PDB file of all heavy atoms in Angstrom:
ATOM      1  N   VAL A 170     162.907 143.581 103.319  1.00 98.00           N
ATOM      2  CA  VAL A 170     162.473 144.974 103.526  1.00 98.00           C
ATOM      3  C   VAL A 170     163.425 145.884 102.768  1.00 98.00           C
ATOM      4  O   VAL A 170     162.979 146.790 102.058  1.00 98.00           O
ATOM      5  CB  VAL A 170     162.485 145.298 105.071  1.00 98.00           C
ATOM      6  CG1 VAL A 170     162.406 146.803 105.287  1.00 98.00           C
ATOM      7  CG2 VAL A 170     161.323 144.613 105.756  1.00 98.00           C
ATOM      8  N   LEU A 171     164.732 145.693 102.929  1.00 98.00           N
ATOM      9  CA  LEU A 171     165.710 146.541 102.243  1.00 98.00           C
ATOM     10  C   LEU A 171     165.531 146.457 100.734  1.00 98.00           C
ATOM     11  O   LEU A 171     165.552 147.450 100.030  1.00 98.00           O
ATOM     12  CB  LEU A 171     167.145 146.078 102.599  1.00 98.00           C
ATOM     13  CG  LEU A 171     167.602 146.404 104.012  1.00 98.00           C
ATOM     14  CD1 LEU A 171     168.965 145.752 104.294  1.00 98.00           C
ATOM     15  CD2 LEU A 171     167.689 147.913 104.201  1.00 98.00           C
ATOM     16  N   ASN A 172     165.323 145.266 100.281  1.00 98.00           N
ATOM     17  CA  ASN A 172     165.104 145.011  98.861  1.00 98.00           C
ATOM     18  C   ASN A 172     163.881 145.832  98.345  1.00 98.00           C
ATOM     19  O   ASN A 172     163.932 146.508  97.353  1.00 98.00           O
ATOM     20  CB  ASN A 172     164.903 143.535  98.625  1.00 98.00           C
ATOM     21  CG  ASN A 172     165.177 143.112  97.241  1.00 98.00           C
ATOM     22  OD1 ASN A 172     166.173 143.576  96.645  1.00 98.00           O
ATOM     23  ND2 ASN A 172     164.334 142.337  96.644  1.00 98.00           N
ATOM     24  N   ASP A 173     162.774 145.723  99.110  1.00 98.00           N
ATOM     25  CA  ASP A 173     161.563 146.424  98.715  1.00 98.00           C
ATOM     26  C   ASP A 173     161.702 147.933  98.796  1.00 98.00           C
ATOM     27  O   ASP A 173     161.145 148.665  97.979  1.00 98.00           O
ATOM     28  CB  ASP A 173     160.363 145.953  99.557  1.00 98.00           C
ATOM     29  CG  ASP A 173     159.840 144.552  99.113  1.00 98.00           C
ATOM     30  OD1 ASP A 173     160.384 144.048  98.153  1.00 98.00           O
ATOM     31  OD2 ASP A 173     158.905 144.065  99.777  1.00 98.00           O
ATOM     32  N   CYS A 174     162.512 148.403  99.777  1.00 98.00           N
ATOM     33  CA  CYS A 174     162.783 149.831  99.875  1.00 98.00           C
ATOM     34  C   CYS A 174     163.568 150.280  98.652  1.00 98.00           C
ATOM     35  O   CYS A 174     163.301 151.308  98.027  1.00 98.00           O
ATOM     36  CB  CYS A 174     163.547 150.170 101.152  1.00 98.00           C
ATOM     37  SG  CYS A 174     162.487 150.169 102.562  1.00 98.00           S
ATOM     38  N   ASN A 175     164.623 149.510  98.325  1.00 98.00           N
ATOM     39  CA  ASN A 175     165.461 149.887  97.191  1.00 98.00           C
ATOM     40  C   ASN A 175     164.705 149.876  95.865  1.00 98.00           C
ATOM     41  O   ASN A 175     165.000 150.633  94.963  1.00 98.00           O
ATOM     42  CB  ASN A 175     166.659 148.922  97.067  1.00 98.00           C
ATOM     43  CG  ASN A 175     167.647 149.122  98.177  1.00 98.00           C
ATOM     44  OD1 ASN A 175     167.647 150.207  98.799  1.00 98.00           O
ATOM     45  ND2 ASN A 175     168.438 148.120  98.514  1.00 98.00           N
ATOM     46  N   ASN A 176     163.709 149.000  95.798  1.00 98.00           N
ATOM     47  CA  ASN A 176     162.926 148.910  94.564  1.00 98.00           C
ATOM     48  C   ASN A 176     161.692 149.769  94.551  1.00 98.00           C
ATOM     49  O   ASN A 176     160.800 149.643  93.689  1.00 98.00           O
ATOM     50  CB  ASN A 176     162.558 147.472  94.269  1.00 98.00           C
ATOM     51  CG  ASN A 176     163.784 146.649  93.924  1.00 98.00           C
ATOM     52  OD1 ASN A 176     164.660 147.111  93.206  1.00 98.00           O
ATOM     53  ND2 ASN A 176     163.883 145.456  94.483  1.00 98.00           N
ATOM     54  N   GLY A 177     161.564 150.601  95.578  1.00 98.00           N
ATOM     55  CA  GLY A 177     160.428 151.544  95.643  1.00 98.00           C
ATOM     56  C   GLY A 177     159.083 150.890  95.959  1.00 98.00           C
ATOM     57  O   GLY A 177     158.031 151.505  95.866  1.00 98.00           O
ATOM     58  N   ILE A 178     159.134 149.617  96.413  1.00 98.00           N
ATOM     59  CA  ILE A 178     157.881 148.932  96.753  1.00 98.00           C
ATOM     60  C   ILE A 178     157.414 149.346  98.151  1.00 98.00           C
ATOM     61  O   ILE A 178     156.221 149.428  98.490  1.00 98.00           O
ATOM     62  CB  ILE A 178     158.076 147.404  96.690  1.00 98.00           C
ATOM     63  CG1 ILE A 178     158.412 146.997  95.248  1.00 98.00           C
ATOM     64  CG2 ILE A 178     156.854 146.628  97.208  1.00 98.00           C
ATOM     65  CD1 ILE A 178     158.934 145.573  95.053  1.00 98.00           C
ATOM     66  N   LEU A 179     158.403 149.678  98.997  1.00 98.00           N
ATOM     67  CA  LEU A 179     158.112 150.088 100.365  1.00 98.00           C
ATOM     68  C   LEU A 179     158.878 151.367 100.690  1.00 98.00           C
ATOM     69  O   LEU A 179     160.045 151.477 100.348  1.00 98.00           O
ATOM     70  CB  LEU A 179     158.555 148.945 101.334  1.00 98.00           C
ATOM     71  CG  LEU A 179     158.309 149.153 102.827  1.00 98.00           C
ATOM     72  CD1 LEU A 179     156.855 149.024 103.161  1.00 98.00           C
ATOM     73  CD2 LEU A 179     159.149 148.155 103.634  1.00 98.00           C
ATOM     74  N   LYS A 180     158.165 152.307 101.371  1.00 98.00           N
ATOM     75  CA  LYS A 180     158.884 153.535 101.812  1.00 98.00           C
ATOM     76  C   LYS A 180     159.346 153.312 103.258  1.00 98.00           C
ATOM     77  O   LYS A 180     158.611 152.682 104.056  1.00 98.00           O
ATOM     78  CB  LYS A 180     157.903 154.718 101.840  1.00 98.00           C
ATOM     79  CG  LYS A 180     157.452 155.167 100.442  1.00 98.00           C
ATOM     80  CD  LYS A 180     156.896 156.596 100.555  1.00 98.00           C
ATOM     81  CE  LYS A 180     156.153 156.952  99.283  1.00 98.00           C
ATOM     82  NZ  LYS A 180     154.748 156.516  99.274  1.00 98.00           N
ATOM     83  N   GLU A 181     160.516 153.850 103.592  1.00 96.00           N
ATOM     84  CA  GLU A 181     161.031 153.641 104.947  1.00 96.00           C
ATOM     85  C   GLU A 181     159.984 154.148 105.986  1.00 96.00           C
ATOM     86  O   GLU A 181     159.839 153.552 107.058  1.00 96.00           O
ATOM     87  CB  GLU A 181     162.341 154.420 105.085  1.00 96.00           C
ATOM     88  CG  GLU A 181     163.118 154.019 106.337  1.00 96.00           C
ATOM     89  CD  GLU A 181     164.336 154.925 106.570  1.00 96.00           C
ATOM     90  OE1 GLU A 181     165.024 155.293 105.614  1.00 96.00           O
ATOM     91  OE2 GLU A 181     164.576 155.258 107.755  1.00 96.00           O
ATOM     92  N   THR A 182     159.303 155.232 105.639  1.00 97.00           N
ATOM     93  CA  THR A 182     158.333 155.806 106.588  1.00 97.00           C
ATOM     94  C   THR A 182     157.165 154.875 106.811  1.00 97.00           C
ATOM     95  O   THR A 182     156.421 154.985 107.786  1.00 97.00           O
ATOM     96  CB  THR A 182     157.819 157.140 106.056  1.00 97.00           C
ATOM     97  OG1 THR A 182     157.433 156.998 104.662  1.00 97.00           O
ATOM     98  CG2 THR A 182     158.861 158.235 106.206  1.00 97.00           C
ATOM     99  N   GLU A 183     156.955 153.940 105.908  1.00 97.00           N
ATOM    100  CA  GLU A 183     155.813 153.000 106.058  1.00 97.00           C
ATOM    101  C   GLU A 183     156.153 151.821 106.934  1.00 97.00           C
ATOM    102  O   GLU A 183     155.316 151.046 107.335  1.00 97.00           O
ATOM    103  CB  GLU A 183     155.396 152.447 104.690  1.00 97.00           C
ATOM    104  CG  GLU A 183     154.684 153.433 103.799  1.00 97.00           C
ATOM    105  CD  GLU A 183     154.574 152.892 102.353  1.00 97.00           C
ATOM    106  OE1 GLU A 183     155.173 151.844 102.037  1.00 97.00           O
ATOM    107  OE2 GLU A 183     153.861 153.496 101.581  1.00 97.00           O
ATOM    108  N   LEU A 184     157.447 151.678 107.246  1.00 98.00           N
ATOM    109  CA  LEU A 184     157.864 150.524 107.994  1.00 98.00           C
ATOM    110  C   LEU A 184     157.582 150.677 109.498  1.00 98.00           C
ATOM    111  O   LEU A 184     158.138 151.548 110.173  1.00 98.00           O
ATOM    112  CB  LEU A 184     159.378 150.258 107.789  1.00 98.00           C
ATOM    113  CG  LEU A 184     159.924 148.992 108.450  1.00 98.00           C
ATOM    114  CD1 LEU A 184     159.249 147.748 107.850  1.00 98.00           C
ATOM    115  CD2 LEU A 184     161.436 148.901 108.329  1.00 98.00           C
ATOM    116  N   ASP A 185     156.653 149.889 109.973  1.00 98.00           N
ATOM    117  CA  ASP A 185     156.396 149.827 111.407  1.00 98.00           C
ATOM    118  C   ASP A 185     156.301 148.337 111.821  1.00 98.00           C
ATOM    119  O   ASP A 185     156.573 147.453 110.985  1.00 98.00           O
ATOM    120  CB  ASP A 185     155.113 150.562 111.756  1.00 98.00           C
ATOM    121  CG  ASP A 185     153.907 150.067 110.965  1.00 98.00           C
ATOM    122  OD1 ASP A 185     154.053 148.961 110.348  1.00 98.00           O
ATOM    123  OD2 ASP A 185     152.889 150.701 110.922  1.00 98.00           O
ATOM    124  N   GLU A 186     155.928 148.083 113.056  1.00 98.00           N
ATOM    125  CA  GLU A 186     155.959 146.673 113.535  1.00 98.00           C
ATOM    126  C   GLU A 186     155.045 145.814 112.742  1.00 98.00           C
ATOM    127  O   GLU A 186     155.366 144.666 112.424  1.00 98.00           O
ATOM    128  CB  GLU A 186     155.592 146.658 115.039  1.00 98.00           C
ATOM    129  CG  GLU A 186     156.648 147.273 115.911  1.00 98.00           C
ATOM    130  CD  GLU A 186     156.304 147.213 117.412  1.00 98.00           C
ATOM    131  OE1 GLU A 186     155.354 146.514 117.789  1.00 98.00           O
ATOM    132  OE2 GLU A 186     157.003 147.917 118.198  1.00 98.00           O
ATOM    133  N   LYS A 187     153.872 146.357 112.416  1.00 98.00           N
ATOM    134  CA  LYS A 187     152.897 145.565 111.681  1.00 98.00           C
ATOM    135  C   LYS A 187     153.395 145.207 110.287  1.00 98.00           C
ATOM    136  O   LYS A 187     153.304 144.062 109.849  1.00 98.00           O
ATOM    137  CB  LYS A 187     151.566 146.382 111.592  1.00 98.00           C
ATOM    138  CG  LYS A 187     150.399 145.578 111.121  1.00 98.00           C
ATOM    139  CD  LYS A 187     149.112 146.278 111.499  1.00 98.00           C
ATOM    140  CE  LYS A 187     147.940 145.575 110.853  1.00 98.00           C
ATOM    141  NZ  LYS A 187     147.486 146.237 109.623  1.00 98.00           N
ATOM    142  N   THR A 188     153.976 146.212 109.604  1.00 98.00           N
ATOM    143  CA  THR A 188     154.507 145.984 108.268  1.00 98.00           C
ATOM    144  C   THR A 188     155.654 144.963 108.372  1.00 98.00           C
ATOM    145  O   THR A 188     155.779 144.054 107.554  1.00 98.00           O
ATOM    146  CB  THR A 188     155.017 147.296 107.659  1.00 98.00           C
ATOM    147  OG1 THR A 188     153.976 148.236 107.785  1.00 98.00           O
ATOM    148  CG2 THR A 188     155.358 147.141 106.186  1.00 98.00           C
TER     149      THR A 188
END
Side-chain angles (χ1 to χ4, degrees):
V170 164
L171 288 173
N172 202 44
D173 282 359
C174 283
N175 290 337
N176 292 318
I178 297 167
L179 181 74
K180 291 199 193 84
E181 193 188 321
T182 48
E183 288 168 351
L184 184 64
D185 55 14
E186 291 181 12
K187 192 160 172 263
T188 310

